Amino acid sequence: MSVREYLDFEKPLKELEERIAKLVKSKSKKVSVQEAIVKSTEQLANLEREIFANLSPWQHSQIARHPQRPSISDYLEHMTEGFMELHGDRLFGDDRAIMGGFTTWRGRSIMAIGHEKGKSLKERMRRNFGMAKPEGYRKALRLMKLAERFNRPIITFIDTPGAYPGVDAEQRGQAEAIARNLLEMSRLQVPILAVVTGEGGSGGALALGVADRILMLEHAIYSVISPEGCAAILWGDASKSADAATALRMTGPELRKLNIIEEVIPEPMGGAHRDPKTMADRISQALDTHFLQLQKLSPAALRQQREAKFRSLGTFGSSQATPKQVKTVNS
């Protein structure tokens, strides 16, 4: 079992847990020691509830990026059976930042696709920290089209800082690959369910996110840009990241209010990494509820509903502005 890693705002929890561990390790039978263990355990539970009930958007983003946060490989292990990974985009190569293949979920044959960041440093480098290149998105699209051919529903697991911004990715058509996914996913005639499990960063996330239902984990984030990137652009100061995280309205509850997502899935106390099995069970149950609704729809109805969902996002107003309004905008 890996050693738990603590975020900055979790340090008080670490101190209490270490105190409890020392008391337990002493194996003392003294009443005073046993009472201290009980009291400290109660304090820990209360403090944990207090901390996680009052998280800021920036703290949510820190949990979403936790190095021990479960990824698609963890969820497939707990949720599905007989996963058969498929590789390559049939054009350039195999991008390990994207993982996908056929598997069995709750007795149904499905196509599962998602970002994989990796666990160890070596694996994270091999998987480019979950930042896909064009061949990754083209692989994902190839697998989606394969699922459509065999009439299999699609579940995507989204967890990426964003699409890889390197020169080689741009040379191979990064923007076109993402745009192609958006177009083709909107036309697929099978149910598509998406779960934002960690970071949902920009177009790199949206390329797997044009779905009939979008779900988010409690501490996941979903945004057009990272808080650091937003702070650098708006204020020229990365230390404003916490302010940017609030302004971006990137957490599940905020996005649910805006009707961008359909459901926020509660996480175990402390985050999904504290109990991946329980988290997987909750995701599976939530997906099942939405899938039962979608499977009643015809392919044509699925497409129409999906199109209506995305066309309804945002608010629209007149482009006309009074001279006074124009002056205010330009000042």
Side-chain angles (χ1 to χ4, degrees):
M1 184 175 180
S2 59
V3 178
R4 180 183 174 187
E5 295 187 32
Y6 294 83
L7 300 170
D8 289 341
F9 62 86
E10 294 180 300
K11 292 299 172 62
L13 298 177
K14 180 181 179 181
E15 294 171 2
L16 262 175
E17 287 181 350
E18 289 176 345
R19 184 191 309 168
I20 294 170
K22 287 181 180 178
L23 291 171
V24 172
K25 191 176 181 180
S26 70
K27 297 182 180 180
S28 174
K29 300 297 183 180
K30 292 182 179 179
V31 175
S32 59
V33 173
Q34 296 304 312
E35 289 178 347
I37 291 175
V38 172
K39 184 177 180 180
S40 296
T41 301
E42 291 176 352
Q43 289 178 341
L44 176 63
N46 292 333
L47 181 59
E48 197 168 39
R49 282 193 293 269
E50 181 182 347
I51 288 175
F52 286 94
N54 298 284
L55 293 175
S56 68
W58 176 240
Q59 289 170 330
H60 279 291
S61 69
Q62 289 177 287
I63 299 175
R65 297 167 172 174
H66 197 286
Q68 295 174 320
R69 196 163 179 84
S71 59
I72 179 175
S73 58
D74 298 299
Y75 292 126
L76 291 179
E77 178 183 351
H78 294 301
M79 291 170 55
T80 71
E81 298 177 348
F83 176 64
M84 180 176 65
E85 186 173 4
L86 301 174
H87 299 275
D89 67 343
R90 300 299 186 266
L91 292 170
F92 181 82
D94 185 38
D95 188 338
R96 295 299 181 125
I98 297 287
M99 185 180 204
F102 285 114
T103 189
T104 301
W105 166 66
R106 295 201 167 196
R108 311 178 185 100
S109 178
I110 67 162
M111 176 66 76
I113 306 169
H115 302 94
E116 176 60 59
K117 290 181 173 179
K119 302 294 188 295
S120 65
L121 178 58
K122 185 177 180 180
E123 187 185 3
R124 285 172 184 158
M125 292 177 67
R126 184 167 67 92
R127 294 189 181 276
N128 205 29
F129 300 87
M131 296 184 289
K133 297 180 181 181
E135 51 270 24
Y137 296 115
R138 289 173 181 141
K139 173 170 74 171
L141 180 57
R142 181 178 76 82
L143 300 187
M144 291 179 202
K145 300 293 283 186
L146 192 61
E148 182 182 46
R149 184 185 308 170
F150 291 102
N151 194 31
R152 298 292 186 262
I154 299 166
I155 298 179
T156 66
F157 295 82
I158 297 170
D159 185 14
T160 179
Y164 182 64
V167 173
D168 58 332
E170 298 297 340
Q171 289 173 335
R172 293 199 295 276
Q174 184 74 289
E176 189 279 337
I178 292 174
R180 177 67 58 183
N181 278 29
L182 307 187
L183 174 64
E184 296 292 346
M185 287 186 77
S186 69
R187 296 173 173 176
L188 291 175
Q189 300 188 58
V190 293
I192 309 172
L193 297 136
V195 187
V196 184
T197 60
E199 292 183 272
S202 193
L206 194 57
L208 299 185
V210 182
D212 301 295
R213 298 285 191 275
I214 302 174
L215 287 61
M216 281 181 69
L217 271 57
E218 179 183 359
H219 300 305
I221 56 174
Y222 196 25
S223 175
V224 68
I225 192 172
S226 69
E228 295 90 341
C230 178
I233 292 172
L234 292 183
W235 295 291
D237 183 359
S239 67
K240 299 280 189 179
S241 296
D243 295 328
T246 301
L248 285 168
R249 302 177 73 176
M250 62 202 303
T251 63
E254 289 279 12
L255 296 173
R256 182 68 190 91
K257 291 177 185 176
L258 296 170
N259 292 319
I260 291 175
I261 66 169
E262 275 69 38
E263 184 177 346
V264 179
I265 307 174
E267 297 189 25
M269 182 62 70
H273 58 284
R274 297 294 300 273
D275 192 347
K277 176 63 170 64
T278 296
M279 190 71 257
D281 290 342
R282 292 179 183 179
I283 293 173
S284 189
Q285 182 57 52
L287 287 172
D288 192 56
T289 299
H290 290 280
F291 177 76
L292 290 175
Q293 298 169 2
L294 294 174
Q295 70 175 357
K296 300 175 183 177
L297 302 177
S298 67
L302 271 175
R303 290 181 56 175
Q304 290 172 1
Q305 188 180 90
R306 195 180 302 144
E307 179 181 357
K309 167 185 167 65
F310 283 91
R311 285 188 178 277
S312 68
L313 298 180
T315 56
F316 301 87
S318 172
S319 61
Q320 297 179 350
T322 64
K324 183 177 180 180
Q325 288 174 320
V326 172
K327 183 177 180 181
T328 302
V329 170
N330 293 334
S331 61

